[in-house]
Amino acid sequence: MKLTEYSGINKITLDDFLSLDEEQTIRFDFLTQGKEADCTELTNSIYHKLFPWFDEKIMRAIR
């Protein structure tokens, strides 16, 4: 399977992610959320939850 066929499937929200149990969280495949796992809506939501000052626009600009 190509990454383009795999990424972006079964997108979940931060609330969905937070409701996973520990094992599901550890094994969660962030590539299912988008081609760049560290720039998806879910990961940005996690970053905002952990770091209120996080700004994804700045992060994209320095990449």
Side-chain angles (χ1 to χ4, degrees):
M1 179 181 285
K2 295 180 181 177
L3 180 59
T4 54
E5 296 169 349
Y6 181 74
S7 66
I9 60 172
N10 300 327
K11 288 192 176 188
I12 67 169
T13 65
L14 179 59
D15 289 334
D16 294 334
F17 183 76
L18 294 174
S19 71
L20 298 175
D21 65 31
E22 183 178 0
E23 186 67 24
Q24 291 172 312
T25 304
I26 292 168
R27 295 185 178 277
F28 187 80
D29 185 355
F30 284 91
L31 280 176
T32 61
Q33 303 303 294
K35 290 188 293 187
E36 295 182 58
D38 60 339
C39 295
T40 66
E41 287 181 44
L42 176 59
T43 52
N44 285 337
S45 296
I46 293 169
Y47 296 153
H48 279 289
K49 185 98 172 152
L50 294 172
F51 312 109
W53 44 262
F54 175 75
D55 186 344
E56 62 266 10
K57 292 175 191 148
I58 293 172
M59 291 303 292
R60 287 183 190 178
I62 63 173
R63 293 185 83 204

